[in-house]
């Protein structure tokens, strides 16, 4: 009986520690998405720096309104922020992302971001 109570207490304590970072991560992701939508490259850079994050390390884990950050930036006409994001990513990720085809297929072919994507993808 005592072992069960100790085990249950350990599980509750562990889950409490796990849920706090997830909530903080979600709040951070929402902040990043709002900076992208507002085309606020400087605040995005500051937030990443303050949290000691590299964009290339967190890019795959952040989805804004159901879209990857670059697509979300293109959709919101956040050209400066999109360019910043693209330049922070390895060319191989940009090339394999499908963002160029997505932009051209969704009416954003004339966006200046497409040129940056093509240049970064190496084509």
């Amino acid at each position: 009986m005592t072992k069960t109570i100790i085990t249950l207490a350990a599980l509750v304590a562990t889950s409490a520690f796990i849920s706090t970072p997830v909530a903080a991560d979600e709040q951070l992701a929402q902040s990043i998405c709002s900076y992208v939508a507002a085309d606020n490259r400087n605040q995005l850079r500051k937030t990443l720096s303050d949290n000691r994050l590299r964009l290339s390390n967190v890019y795959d884990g952040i989805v804004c309104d159901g879209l990857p950050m670059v697509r979300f930036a293109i959709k919101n006409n956040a050209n400066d922020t999109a360019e910043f994001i693209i330049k922070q990513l390895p060319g191989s990720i940009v090339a394999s992302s499908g963002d160029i085809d997505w932009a051209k297929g969704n009416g954003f072919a004339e966006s200046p971001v497409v040129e940056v994507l093509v240049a970064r993808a190496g084509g």
Side-chain angles (χ1 to χ4, degrees), residues 21-98:
V22 170
D25 290 346
E26 288 177 17
Q27 183 178 6
L28 181 61
Q30 287 176 352
S31 294
I32 288 172
C33 290
S34 68
Y35 299 140
V36 171
D39 201 15
N40 193 339
R41 177 179 58 187
N42 291 332
Q43 192 61 44
L44 174 60
R45 181 183 293 135
K46 182 179 181 328
T47 299
L48 292 169
S49 177
D50 288 350
N51 289 283
R52 297 182 178 158
L53 297 173
R54 298 186 88 198
L55 191 57
S56 59
N57 292 341
V58 297
Y59 180 77
D60 290 335
I62 298 176
V63 177
C64 304
D65 201 21
L67 297 170
M69 283 193 289
V70 170
R71 295 180 189 187
F72 184 69
I74 294 170
K75 183 178 175 186
N76 286 284
N77 201 28
N79 299 333
D80 291 339
T81 303
E83 185 174 340
F84 169 74
I85 293 168
I86 293 164
K87 288 181 177 181
Q88 296 298 310
L89 298 175
S92 60
I93 290 177
V94 174
S96 66
S97 69

